[in-house]
Amino acid sequence: EGGVIFRDDALEVYQQYEDMFSQSYGISLADYGMDTQYKQYAVQTLVREAVIAQKAAEMGLDQIDDETMATLTEQAASSFESYITSVSSYFTGDDVTEEETREQPIAYLESVGYTQDSILDSMIESYVGEQVYNEVTKDVSVTDEDVQTAYDDLVATQESSFTSDSAYNSSRNNGELIVFNPEGYRAVKHVLVKFTDEQATRYSDLTSTLSDLNAELESVQNPTEAPEAEETAEPTEEPELRTPEAIQADIDAAQAELDALYEELMPTAQEVIDKFNAGTSFADLIAEYNEDPGMQNEPTATNGYAVSANSTTWDPAFTAGAMSIESVGGISAPVRGQNGIHIILYESDIPAGAVDLESVRAEIESSALDDKISDTYNAVINDWITAVNPIYYYNNL
């Protein structure tokens, strides 16, 4: 009731979906059987936009004052100039005049649907849509009961999810709001004395060699019965197995090289330990010596890493070193890890269980309000769409 969505307009929107998937993922929606689904999305998107525009007109929210229109026009012009600049490098050359350097990017942009007017139209549509959104949601608020419910739901979700160490650490390290902490975790910080690129290559080679040698030793010490070979005209010669003693000698030699590699880092690691024992704060030692970005970037720079005896997120050597420290405020012995040597500080214990609501009330209330605003807006728009009795002719697509 009140309008028509034309097939060509819907297919134009669908083509935008198609282009996005092609450019971002290198796939065709049709090849993956998703073309029907996204064509229907395109129609539904246009219906939604048309209904919002109708309601904006009914409520007088599509009227834009001169000052706002001037601002939008200026922003559209600036945006179009940015587009011109971004593609102009493709149209430069010794035989291209200064005038052509501008005209050719404009012609290209127009050919793909970008003009200053189209950008302005899009900005006006967004502005009007924002006015509708603000009008529909202006009276939305949350009660204490809403906040309690949101908190309880998040606690239950995290209690279930955080049985996985990787899920817990991922949420924590990404700065998400944590309202439940699993048992057995402590917060640690560390100084990483990192391998150089050349040392890292040697480490990789040596650990690979040790892995192969240990596998060889295992096969010699615990041979498995080989399947019977088919009879052939020519007898097959069995490969000569090395003695366990010879293999062990190679293992010892490779391990000695690995030990020597770590020893190259020990003078710096010992400096860190000596300065800490002399009273230098661990924060200052991190600033001076650390080469792990996680100790420089938030939120882990402030919160540290969460480690438990059963952690799977970290290098096993790091986990063992972190859990070896007896008391809060103490540091580990030098820990030989995959990236170098760690000196780890036992920062604090992380209290297990639900976090007190009052300590996170502001964040929970803000999140609950955002959710309620979104739910309210979508419910109103869906009611408006239902009220105009849309009839969809998907077969025409």
Side-chain angles (χ1 to χ4, degrees), residues 49 56 64 112 115 123 136 149 189 216 234 261 264 280 299 308 318 325 334 337 340 360 364 372 391:
E49 291 175 354
I64 302 178
V112 293
T115 66
M123 287 183 170
V136 168
T149 299
K189 294 183 179 179
E216 182 184 3
E234 296 292 331
L261 174 60
E264 294 174 19
T280 302
S308 77
F318 182 86
I325 309 168
V360 292
I364 294 290
K372 195 169 184 179
I391 302 172

Side-chain angles (χ1 to χ4, degrees), residues 276-342:
F276 178 80
N277 290 335
T280 302
S281 73
F282 205 79
D284 288 343
L285 293 172
I286 288 174
E288 182 176 359
Y289 290 98
N290 172 65
E291 296 178 84
D292 170 27
M295 290 293 98
Q296 299 161 349
N297 302 326
E298 296 296 349
T300 48
T302 296
N303 297 338
Y305 296 140
V307 184
S308 77
N310 298 318
S311 287
T312 56
T313 300
W314 316 108
D315 177 350
F318 182 86
T319 297
M323 299 307 295
S324 72
I325 309 168
E326 293 186 358
S327 58
V328 172
I331 62 172
S332 68
V335 174
R336 294 181 172 189
Q338 297 168 353
N339 297 303
I341 290 180
H342 307 271

Side-chain angles (χ1 to χ4, degrees), residues 94-105:
D94 295 336
D95 58 343
V96 179
T97 66
E98 184 175 340
E99 184 177 359
E100 289 172 334
T101 300
R102 181 174 178 81
E103 289 177 349
Q104 291 179 357

